[in-house]
PDB file of all heavy atoms in Angstrom:
ATOM      1  N   VAL A   1      44.927 110.804-194.245  1.00 97.00           N
ATOM      2  CA  VAL A   1      45.588 110.684-195.549  1.00 97.00           C
ATOM      3  C   VAL A   1      47.098 110.816-195.373  1.00 97.00           C
ATOM      4  O   VAL A   1      47.884 110.084-195.981  1.00 97.00           O
ATOM      5  CB  VAL A   1      45.057 111.754-196.519  1.00 97.00           C
ATOM      6  CG1 VAL A   1      45.813 111.716-197.848  1.00 97.00           C
ATOM      7  CG2 VAL A   1      43.558 111.552-196.755  1.00 97.00           C
ATOM      8  N   GLY A   2      47.501 111.758-194.530  1.00 97.00           N
ATOM      9  CA  GLY A   2      48.922 111.947-194.273  1.00 97.00           C
ATOM     10  C   GLY A   2      49.589 110.708-193.722  1.00 97.00           C
ATOM     11  O   GLY A   2      50.715 110.371-194.107  1.00 97.00           O
ATOM     12  N   ARG A   3      48.912 109.991-192.847  1.00 97.00           N
ATOM     13  CA  ARG A   3      49.506 108.776-192.268  1.00 97.00           C
ATOM     14  C   ARG A   3      49.701 107.705-193.329  1.00 97.00           C
ATOM     15  O   ARG A   3      50.729 107.032-193.375  1.00 97.00           O
ATOM     16  CB  ARG A   3      48.628 108.250-191.132  1.00 97.00           C
ATOM     17  CG  ARG A   3      49.129 106.961-190.503  1.00 97.00           C
ATOM     18  CD  ARG A   3      50.544 107.114-189.970  1.00 97.00           C
ATOM     19  NE  ARG A   3      50.579 107.983-188.805  1.00 97.00           N
ATOM     20  CZ  ARG A   3      51.705 108.469-188.295  1.00 97.00           C
ATOM     21  NH1 ARG A   3      52.878 108.182-188.867  1.00 97.00           N
ATOM     22  NH2 ARG A   3      51.664 109.266-187.246  1.00 97.00           N
ATOM     23  N   TRP A   4      48.699 107.552-194.204  1.00 96.00           N
ATOM     24  CA  TRP A   4      48.820 106.548-195.261  1.00 96.00           C
ATOM     25  C   TRP A   4      50.000 106.883-196.173  1.00 96.00           C
ATOM     26  O   TRP A   4      50.805 106.013-196.517  1.00 96.00           O
ATOM     27  CB  TRP A   4      47.515 106.498-196.062  1.00 96.00           C
ATOM     28  CG  TRP A   4      47.466 105.370-197.041  1.00 96.00           C
ATOM     29  CD1 TRP A   4      47.014 104.100-196.818  1.00 96.00           C
ATOM     30  CD2 TRP A   4      47.883 105.408-198.413  1.00 96.00           C
ATOM     31  NE1 TRP A   4      47.131 103.343-197.956  1.00 96.00           N
ATOM     32  CE2 TRP A   4      47.663 104.116-198.956  1.00 96.00           C
ATOM     33  CE3 TRP A   4      48.421 106.395-199.232  1.00 96.00           C
ATOM     34  CZ2 TRP A   4      47.955 103.803-200.273  1.00 96.00           C
ATOM     35  CZ3 TRP A   4      48.722 106.085-200.545  1.00 96.00           C
ATOM     36  CH2 TRP A   4      48.490 104.800-201.054  1.00 96.00           C
ATOM     37  N   LEU A   5      50.122 108.147-196.552  1.00 97.00           N
ATOM     38  CA  LEU A   5      51.228 108.550-197.422  1.00 97.00           C
ATOM     39  C   LEU A   5      52.565 108.452-196.694  1.00 97.00           C
ATOM     40  O   LEU A   5      53.581 108.065-197.288  1.00 97.00           O
ATOM     41  CB  LEU A   5      51.002 109.987-197.910  1.00 97.00           C
ATOM     42  CG  LEU A   5      49.792 110.197-198.827  1.00 97.00           C
ATOM     43  CD1 LEU A   5      49.576 111.690-199.083  1.00 97.00           C
ATOM     44  CD2 LEU A   5      49.957 109.446-200.144  1.00 97.00           C
ATOM     45  N   ALA A   6      52.574 108.804-195.411  1.00 97.00           N
ATOM     46  CA  ALA A   6      53.822 108.725-194.637  1.00 97.00           C
ATOM     47  C   ALA A   6      54.341 107.290-194.567  1.00 97.00           C
ATOM     48  O   ALA A   6      55.550 107.036-194.696  1.00 97.00           O
ATOM     49  CB  ALA A   6      53.596 109.288-193.233  1.00 97.00           C
ATOM     50  N   LYS A   7      53.437 106.344-194.375  1.00 96.00           N
ATOM     51  CA  LYS A   7      53.853 104.939-194.342  1.00 96.00           C
ATOM     52  C   LYS A   7      54.336 104.481-195.714  1.00 96.00           C
ATOM     53  O   LYS A   7      55.338 103.769-195.826  1.00 96.00           O
ATOM     54  CB  LYS A   7      52.692 104.064-193.873  1.00 96.00           C
ATOM     55  CG  LYS A   7      52.378 104.192-192.390  1.00 96.00           C
ATOM     56  CD  LYS A   7      51.225 103.277-191.996  1.00 96.00           C
ATOM     57  CE  LYS A   7      50.951 103.345-190.507  1.00 96.00           C
ATOM     58  NZ  LYS A   7      49.811 102.480-190.103  1.00 96.00           N
ATOM     59  N   ARG A   8      53.620 104.899-196.746  1.00 96.00           N
ATOM     60  CA  ARG A   8      53.984 104.500-198.105  1.00 96.00           C
ATOM     61  C   ARG A   8      55.360 105.034-198.490  1.00 96.00           C
ATOM     62  O   ARG A   8      56.160 104.337-199.127  1.00 96.00           O
ATOM     63  CB  ARG A   8      52.919 105.014-199.071  1.00 96.00           C
ATOM     64  CG  ARG A   8      53.181 104.713-200.555  1.00 96.00           C
ATOM     65  CD  ARG A   8      52.004 105.215-201.372  1.00 96.00           C
ATOM     66  NE  ARG A   8      52.218 105.119-202.798  1.00 96.00           N
ATOM     67  CZ  ARG A   8      52.035 104.007-203.512  1.00 96.00           C
ATOM     68  NH1 ARG A   8      51.644 102.894-202.918  1.00 96.00           N
ATOM     69  NH2 ARG A   8      52.240 104.018-204.819  1.00 96.00           N
ATOM     70  N   TRP A   9      55.623 106.284-198.109  1.00 96.00           N
ATOM     71  CA  TRP A   9      56.879 106.914-198.495  1.00 96.00           C
ATOM     72  C   TRP A   9      57.961 106.807-197.426  1.00 96.00           C
ATOM     73  O   TRP A   9      59.096 107.224-197.654  1.00 96.00           O
ATOM     74  CB  TRP A   9      56.638 108.394-198.794  1.00 96.00           C
ATOM     75  CG  TRP A   9      55.698 108.650-199.925  1.00 96.00           C
ATOM     76  CD1 TRP A   9      55.440 107.845-201.002  1.00 96.00           C
ATOM     77  CD2 TRP A   9      54.865 109.807-200.089  1.00 96.00           C
ATOM     78  NE1 TRP A   9      54.510 108.418-201.829  1.00 96.00           N
ATOM     79  CE2 TRP A   9      54.137 109.630-201.301  1.00 96.00           C
ATOM     80  CE3 TRP A   9      54.658 110.975-199.359  1.00 96.00           C
ATOM     81  CZ2 TRP A   9      53.236 110.574-201.783  1.00 96.00           C
ATOM     82  CZ3 TRP A   9      53.768 111.917-199.834  1.00 96.00           C
ATOM     83  CH2 TRP A   9      53.058 111.720-201.035  1.00 96.00           C
ATOM     84  N   ARG A  10      57.596 106.312-196.240  1.00 96.00           N
ATOM     85  CA  ARG A  10      58.530 106.210-195.112  1.00 96.00           C
ATOM     86  C   ARG A  10      59.125 107.569-194.740  1.00 96.00           C
ATOM     87  O   ARG A  10      60.342 107.751-194.645  1.00 96.00           O
ATOM     88  CB  ARG A  10      59.638 105.202-195.421  1.00 96.00           C
ATOM     89  CG  ARG A  10      59.109 103.784-195.614  1.00 96.00           C
ATOM     90  CD  ARG A  10      60.213 102.787-195.830  1.00 96.00           C
ATOM     91  NE  ARG A  10      59.663 101.453-196.026  1.00 96.00           N
ATOM     92  CZ  ARG A  10      60.404 100.366-196.252  1.00 96.00           C
ATOM     93  NH1 ARG A  10      61.728 100.462-196.299  1.00 96.00           N
ATOM     94  NH2 ARG A  10      59.819  99.201-196.408  1.00 96.00           N
ATOM     95  N   VAL A  11      58.218 108.511-194.557  1.00 97.00           N
ATOM     96  CA  VAL A  11      58.600 109.857-194.116  1.00 97.00           C
ATOM     97  C   VAL A  11      57.794 110.196-192.872  1.00 97.00           C
ATOM     98  O   VAL A  11      56.752 109.588-192.610  1.00 97.00           O
ATOM     99  CB  VAL A  11      58.354 110.906-195.225  1.00 97.00           C
ATOM    100  CG1 VAL A  11      59.193 110.601-196.456  1.00 97.00           C
ATOM    101  CG2 VAL A  11      56.868 111.019-195.579  1.00 97.00           C
ATOM    102  N   PRO A  12      58.237 111.172-192.071  1.00 98.00           N
ATOM    103  CA  PRO A  12      57.523 111.508-190.833  1.00 98.00           C
ATOM    104  C   PRO A  12      56.305 112.394-191.097  1.00 98.00           C
ATOM    105  O   PRO A  12      56.213 113.083-192.115  1.00 98.00           O
ATOM    106  CB  PRO A  12      58.571 112.259-190.012  1.00 98.00           C
ATOM    107  CG  PRO A  12      59.479 112.859-191.034  1.00 98.00           C
ATOM    108  CD  PRO A  12      59.535 111.870-192.173  1.00 98.00           C
ATOM    109  N   LEU A  13      55.385 112.340-190.135  1.00 98.00           N
ATOM    110  CA  LEU A  13      54.164 113.146-190.179  1.00 98.00           C
ATOM    111  C   LEU A  13      54.140 114.075-188.970  1.00 98.00           C
ATOM    112  O   LEU A  13      54.198 113.628-187.822  1.00 98.00           O
ATOM    113  CB  LEU A  13      52.939 112.233-190.158  1.00 98.00           C
ATOM    114  CG  LEU A  13      51.560 112.913-190.056  1.00 98.00           C
ATOM    115  CD1 LEU A  13      51.283 113.769-191.286  1.00 98.00           C
ATOM    116  CD2 LEU A  13      50.455 111.860-189.867  1.00 98.00           C
ATOM    117  N   VAL A  14      54.059 115.374-189.230  1.00 98.00           N
ATOM    118  CA  VAL A  14      53.889 116.402-188.200  1.00 98.00           C
ATOM    119  C   VAL A  14      52.446 116.888-188.266  1.00 98.00           C
ATOM    120  O   VAL A  14      51.907 117.112-189.354  1.00 98.00           O
ATOM    121  CB  VAL A  14      54.852 117.579-188.429  1.00 98.00           C
ATOM    122  CG1 VAL A  14      54.590 118.705-187.426  1.00 98.00           C
ATOM    123  CG2 VAL A  14      56.306 117.113-188.335  1.00 98.00           C
ATOM    124  N   TYR A  15      51.808 117.034-187.120  1.00 98.00           N
ATOM    125  CA  TYR A  15      50.436 117.548-187.065  1.00 98.00           C
ATOM    126  C   TYR A  15      50.433 118.817-186.225  1.00 98.00           C
ATOM    127  O   TYR A  15      51.031 118.856-185.144  1.00 98.00           O
ATOM    128  CB  TYR A  15      49.500 116.511-186.431  1.00 98.00           C
ATOM    129  CG  TYR A  15      48.110 117.033-186.130  1.00 98.00           C
ATOM    130  CD1 TYR A  15      47.197 117.246-187.149  1.00 98.00           C
ATOM    131  CD2 TYR A  15      47.719 117.315-184.822  1.00 98.00           C
ATOM    132  CE1 TYR A  15      45.922 117.731-186.877  1.00 98.00           C
ATOM    133  CE2 TYR A  15      46.451 117.787-184.538  1.00 98.00           C
ATOM    134  CZ  TYR A  15      45.553 118.004-185.571  1.00 98.00           C
ATOM    135  OH  TYR A  15      44.295 118.488-185.296  1.00 98.00           O
ATOM    136  N   THR A  16      49.797 119.871-186.718  1.00 98.00           N
ATOM    137  CA  THR A  16      49.625 121.091-185.929  1.00 98.00           C
ATOM    138  C   THR A  16      48.210 121.148-185.364  1.00 98.00           C
ATOM    139  O   THR A  16      47.235 121.081-186.123  1.00 98.00           O
ATOM    140  CB  THR A  16      49.899 122.352-186.766  1.00 98.00           C
ATOM    141  OG1 THR A  16      51.298 122.421-187.071  1.00 98.00           O
ATOM    142  CG2 THR A  16      49.527 123.612-185.990  1.00 98.00           C
ATOM    143  N   LEU A  17      48.117 121.274-184.055  1.00 97.00           N
ATOM    144  CA  LEU A  17      46.825 121.459-183.389  1.00 97.00           C
ATOM    145  C   LEU A  17      46.527 122.955-183.372  1.00 97.00           C
ATOM    146  O   LEU A  17      47.098 123.702-182.580  1.00 97.00           O
ATOM    147  CB  LEU A  17      46.884 120.900-181.964  1.00 97.00           C
ATOM    148  CG  LEU A  17      45.614 121.096-181.133  1.00 97.00           C
ATOM    149  CD1 LEU A  17      44.457 120.282-181.699  1.00 97.00           C
ATOM    150  CD2 LEU A  17      45.867 120.719-179.670  1.00 97.00           C
ATOM    151  N   HIS A  18      45.658 123.390-184.257  1.00 96.00           N
ATOM    152  CA  HIS A  18      45.345 124.818-184.369  1.00 96.00           C
ATOM    153  C   HIS A  18      44.253 125.253-183.404  1.00 96.00           C
ATOM    154  O   HIS A  18      44.113 126.449-183.141  1.00 96.00           O
ATOM    155  CB  HIS A  18      44.922 125.144-185.797  1.00 96.00           C
ATOM    156  CG  HIS A  18      46.040 125.080-186.792  1.00 96.00           C
ATOM    157  ND1 HIS A  18      46.947 126.101-186.968  1.00 96.00           N
ATOM    158  CD2 HIS A  18      46.416 124.092-187.653  1.00 96.00           C
ATOM    159  CE1 HIS A  18      47.811 125.772-187.904  1.00 96.00           C
ATOM    160  NE2 HIS A  18      47.522 124.562-188.340  1.00 96.00           N
ATOM    161  N   LEU A  19      43.460 124.314-182.888  1.00 91.00           N
ATOM    162  CA  LEU A  19      42.344 124.694-182.021  1.00 91.00           C
ATOM    163  C   LEU A  19      42.092 123.584-181.007  1.00 91.00           C
ATOM    164  O   LEU A  19      41.977 122.408-181.390  1.00 91.00           O
ATOM    165  CB  LEU A  19      41.092 124.932-182.859  1.00 91.00           C
ATOM    166  CG  LEU A  19      39.945 125.714-182.210  1.00 91.00           C
ATOM    167  CD1 LEU A  19      40.381 127.148-181.897  1.00 91.00           C
ATOM    168  CD2 LEU A  19      38.732 125.727-183.126  1.00 91.00           C
ATOM    169  N   THR A  20      42.012 123.946-179.745  1.00 90.00           N
ATOM    170  CA  THR A  20      41.710 122.970-178.702  1.00 90.00           C
ATOM    171  C   THR A  20      40.197 122.835-178.542  1.00 90.00           C
ATOM    172  O   THR A  20      39.420 123.555-179.146  1.00 90.00           O
ATOM    173  CB  THR A  20      42.330 123.401-177.367  1.00 90.00           C
ATOM    174  OG1 THR A  20      41.817 124.688-177.015  1.00 90.00           O
ATOM    175  CG2 THR A  20      43.841 123.467-177.468  1.00 90.00           C
ATOM    176  N   GLY A  21      39.799 121.897-177.686  1.00 85.00           N
ATOM    177  CA  GLY A  21      38.383 121.713-177.409  1.00 85.00           C
ATOM    178  C   GLY A  21      37.653 120.892-178.442  1.00 85.00           C
ATOM    179  O   GLY A  21      36.429 120.752-178.388  1.00 85.00           O
ATOM    180  N   ILE A  22      38.374 120.327-179.404  1.00 86.00           N
ATOM    181  CA  ILE A  22      37.743 119.498-180.427  1.00 86.00           C
ATOM    182  C   ILE A  22      37.382 118.140-179.823  1.00 86.00           C
ATOM    183  O   ILE A  22      37.999 117.689-178.860  1.00 86.00           O
ATOM    184  CB  ILE A  22      38.672 119.332-181.650  1.00 86.00           C
ATOM    185  CG1 ILE A  22      40.033 118.777-181.212  1.00 86.00           C
ATOM    186  CG2 ILE A  22      38.840 120.653-182.369  1.00 86.00           C
ATOM    187  CD1 ILE A  22      41.012 118.573-182.350  1.00 86.00           C
ATOM    188  N   PRO A  23      36.360 117.450-180.355  1.00 85.00           N
ATOM    189  CA  PRO A  23      35.950 116.157-179.785  1.00 85.00           C
ATOM    190  C   PRO A  23      37.074 115.124-179.877  1.00 85.00           C
ATOM    191  O   PRO A  23      37.748 115.013-180.907  1.00 85.00           O
ATOM    192  CB  PRO A  23      34.767 115.742-180.660  1.00 85.00           C
ATOM    193  CG  PRO A  23      34.299 116.993-181.303  1.00 85.00           C
ATOM    194  CD  PRO A  23      35.496 117.854-181.481  1.00 85.00           C
ATOM    195  N   VAL A  24      37.260 114.372-178.813  1.00 85.00           N
ATOM    196  CA  VAL A  24      38.296 113.336-178.820  1.00 85.00           C
ATOM    197  C   VAL A  24      37.759 111.984-178.333  1.00 85.00           C
ATOM    198  O   VAL A  24      38.499 111.002-178.291  1.00 85.00           O
ATOM    199  CB  VAL A  24      39.510 113.741-177.957  1.00 85.00           C
ATOM    200  CG1 VAL A  24      40.228 114.929-178.573  1.00 85.00           C
ATOM    201  CG2 VAL A  24      39.098 114.042-176.515  1.00 85.00           C
ATOM    202  N   GLY A  25      36.482 111.931-177.982  1.00 83.00           N
ATOM    203  CA  GLY A  25      35.905 110.679-177.507  1.00 83.00           C
ATOM    204  C   GLY A  25      35.297 109.871-178.634  1.00 83.00           C
ATOM    205  O   GLY A  25      35.019 110.365-179.716  1.00 83.00           O
ATOM    206  N   GLY A  26      35.084 108.597-178.377  1.00 80.00           N
ATOM    207  CA  GLY A  26      34.399 107.722-179.320  1.00 80.00           C
ATOM    208  C   GLY A  26      35.075 107.667-180.668  1.00 80.00           C
ATOM    209  O   GLY A  26      36.305 107.547-180.772  1.00 80.00           O
ATOM    210  N   ALA A  27      34.263 107.777-181.730  1.00 71.00           N
ATOM    211  CA  ALA A  27      34.787 107.674-183.092  1.00 71.00           C
ATOM    212  C   ALA A  27      35.774 108.794-183.392  1.00 71.00           C
ATOM    213  O   ALA A  27      36.745 108.594-184.143  1.00 71.00           O
ATOM    214  CB  ALA A  27      33.641 107.696-184.093  1.00 71.00           C
ATOM    215  N   SER A  28      35.555 109.977-182.811  1.00 72.00           N
ATOM    216  CA  SER A  28      36.473 111.092-183.057  1.00 72.00           C
ATOM    217  C   SER A  28      37.877 110.766-182.570  1.00 72.00           C
ATOM    218  O   SER A  28      38.868 111.050-183.245  1.00 72.00           O
ATOM    219  CB  SER A  28      35.972 112.362-182.355  1.00 72.00           C
ATOM    220  OG  SER A  28      34.745 112.782-182.897  1.00 72.00           O
ATOM    221  N   GLY A  29      37.955 110.158-181.401  1.00 72.00           N
ATOM    222  CA  GLY A  29      39.263 109.776-180.884  1.00 72.00           C
ATOM    223  C   GLY A  29      39.897 108.671-181.688  1.00 72.00           C
ATOM    224  O   GLY A  29      41.101 108.695-181.969  1.00 72.00           O
ATOM    225  N   TRP A  30      39.081 107.703-182.084  1.00 70.00           N
ATOM    226  CA  TRP A  30      39.601 106.569-182.844  1.00 70.00           C
ATOM    227  C   TRP A  30      40.153 107.011-184.195  1.00 70.00           C
ATOM    228  O   TRP A  30      41.130 106.456-184.695  1.00 70.00           O
ATOM    229  CB  TRP A  30      38.490 105.542-183.040  1.00 70.00           C
ATOM    230  CG  TRP A  30      38.908 104.350-183.826  1.00 70.00           C
ATOM    231  CD1 TRP A  30      39.713 103.327-183.405  1.00 70.00           C
ATOM    232  CD2 TRP A  30      38.538 104.036-185.172  1.00 70.00           C
ATOM    233  NE1 TRP A  30      39.878 102.393-184.409  1.00 70.00           N
ATOM    234  CE2 TRP A  30      39.159 102.808-185.499  1.00 70.00           C
ATOM    235  CE3 TRP A  30      37.739 104.683-186.124  1.00 70.00           C
ATOM    236  CZ2 TRP A  30      39.009 102.224-186.747  1.00 70.00           C
ATOM    237  CZ3 TRP A  30      37.596 104.095-187.367  1.00 70.00           C
ATOM    238  CH2 TRP A  30      38.221 102.874-187.667  1.00 70.00           C
ATOM    239  N   MET A  31      39.533 108.044-184.796  1.00 75.00           N
ATOM    240  CA  MET A  31      39.952 108.511-186.111  1.00 75.00           C
ATOM    241  C   MET A  31      40.960 109.649-186.034  1.00 75.00           C
ATOM    242  O   MET A  31      41.265 110.289-187.044  1.00 75.00           O
ATOM    243  CB  MET A  31      38.736 108.957-186.924  1.00 75.00           C
ATOM    244  CG  MET A  31      37.789 107.830-187.261  1.00 75.00           C
ATOM    245  SD  MET A  31      36.437 108.355-188.335  1.00 75.00           S
ATOM    246  CE  MET A  31      37.336 108.708-189.856  1.00 75.00           C
ATOM    247  N   SER A  32      41.497 109.923-184.866  1.00 84.00           N
ATOM    248  CA  SER A  32      42.472 111.010-184.714  1.00 84.00           C
ATOM    249  C   SER A  32      43.882 110.474-184.870  1.00 84.00           C
ATOM    250  O   SER A  32      44.238 109.456-184.286  1.00 84.00           O
ATOM    251  CB  SER A  32      42.340 111.672-183.337  1.00 84.00           C
ATOM    252  OG  SER A  32      41.094 112.303-183.197  1.00 84.00           O
ATOM    253  N   ASP A  33      44.657 111.140-185.675  1.00 93.00           N
ATOM    254  CA  ASP A  33      46.087 110.845-185.796  1.00 93.00           C
ATOM    255  C   ASP A  33      46.829 112.130-185.477  1.00 93.00           C
ATOM    256  O   ASP A  33      46.717 113.122-186.200  1.00 93.00           O
ATOM    257  CB  ASP A  33      46.424 110.357-187.209  1.00 93.00           C
ATOM    258  CG  ASP A  33      47.834 109.790-187.302  1.00 93.00           C
ATOM    259  OD1 ASP A  33      48.773 110.450-186.806  1.00 93.00           O
ATOM    260  OD2 ASP A  33      48.002 108.698-187.862  1.00 93.00           O
ATOM    261  N   TRP A  34      47.578 112.122-184.399  1.00 95.00           N
ATOM    262  CA  TRP A  34      48.246 113.329-183.916  1.00 95.00           C
ATOM    263  C   TRP A  34      49.650 113.471-184.485  1.00 95.00           C
ATOM    264  O   TRP A  34      50.408 114.345-184.048  1.00 95.00           O
ATOM    265  CB  TRP A  34      48.288 113.320-182.383  1.00 95.00           C
ATOM    266  CG  TRP A  34      46.944 113.140-181.766  1.00 95.00           C
ATOM    267  CD1 TRP A  34      46.410 111.966-181.285  1.00 95.00           C
ATOM    268  CD2 TRP A  34      45.919 114.137-181.597  1.00 95.00           C
ATOM    269  NE1 TRP A  34      45.139 112.177-180.811  1.00 95.00           N
ATOM    270  CE2 TRP A  34      44.808 113.495-180.997  1.00 95.00           C
ATOM    271  CE3 TRP A  34      45.837 115.489-181.881  1.00 95.00           C
ATOM    272  CZ2 TRP A  34      43.632 114.180-180.678  1.00 95.00           C
ATOM    273  CZ3 TRP A  34      44.672 116.177-181.574  1.00 95.00           C
ATOM    274  CH2 TRP A  34      43.585 115.521-180.981  1.00 95.00           C
ATOM    275  N   GLY A  35      49.973 112.662-185.470  1.00 96.00           N
ATOM    276  CA  GLY A  35      51.289 112.743-186.087  1.00 96.00           C
ATOM    277  C   GLY A  35      52.359 112.073-185.245  1.00 96.00           C
ATOM    278  O   GLY A  35      52.125 111.631-184.119  1.00 96.00           O
ATOM    279  N   ASP A  36      53.549 112.007-185.791  1.00 97.00           N
ATOM    280  CA  ASP A  36      54.691 111.519-185.016  1.00 97.00           C
ATOM    281  C   ASP A  36      55.087 112.556-183.971  1.00 97.00           C
ATOM    282  O   ASP A  36      55.572 112.219-182.893  1.00 97.00           O
ATOM    283  CB  ASP A  36      55.870 111.226-185.955  1.00 97.00           C
ATOM    284  CG  ASP A  36      55.507 110.195-187.006  1.00 97.00           C
ATOM    285  OD1 ASP A  36      55.031 109.108-186.630  1.00 97.00           O
ATOM    286  OD2 ASP A  36      55.677 110.485-188.209  1.00 97.00           O
ATOM    287  N   ILE A  37      54.887 113.811-184.332  1.00 97.00           N
ATOM    288  CA  ILE A  37      55.052 114.934-183.408  1.00 97.00           C
ATOM    289  C   ILE A  37      53.859 115.855-183.612  1.00 97.00           C
ATOM    290  O   ILE A  37      53.455 116.129-184.744  1.00 97.00           O
ATOM    291  CB  ILE A  37      56.357 115.719-183.690  1.00 97.00           C
ATOM    292  CG1 ILE A  37      57.582 114.904-183.283  1.00 97.00           C
ATOM    293  CG2 ILE A  37      56.363 117.061-182.957  1.00 97.00           C
ATOM    294  CD1 ILE A  37      57.785 114.762-181.782  1.00 97.00           C
TER     295      ILE A  37
END
């Protein structure tokens, strides 16, 4: 949702990774947006 709004408003997106070890393969990886930073 943040990415869609960031593009619409032309503002940056920061993502905080609060926990490691989360799934990143397959659909999980495809649906991951790690922010601009």
Side-chain angles (χ1 to χ4, degrees):
V1 175
R3 178 57 70 192
W4 188 89
L5 294 172
K7 287 181 177 179
R8 178 177 173 82
W9 298 333
R10 297 184 181 179
V11 298
L13 174 64
V14 175
Y15 171 74
T16 291
L17 177 67
H18 290 279
L19 197 64
T20 58
I22 55 180
V24 293
S28 296
W30 179 73
M31 294 185 68
S32 295
D33 191 312
W34 306 99
D36 301 307
I37 289 288

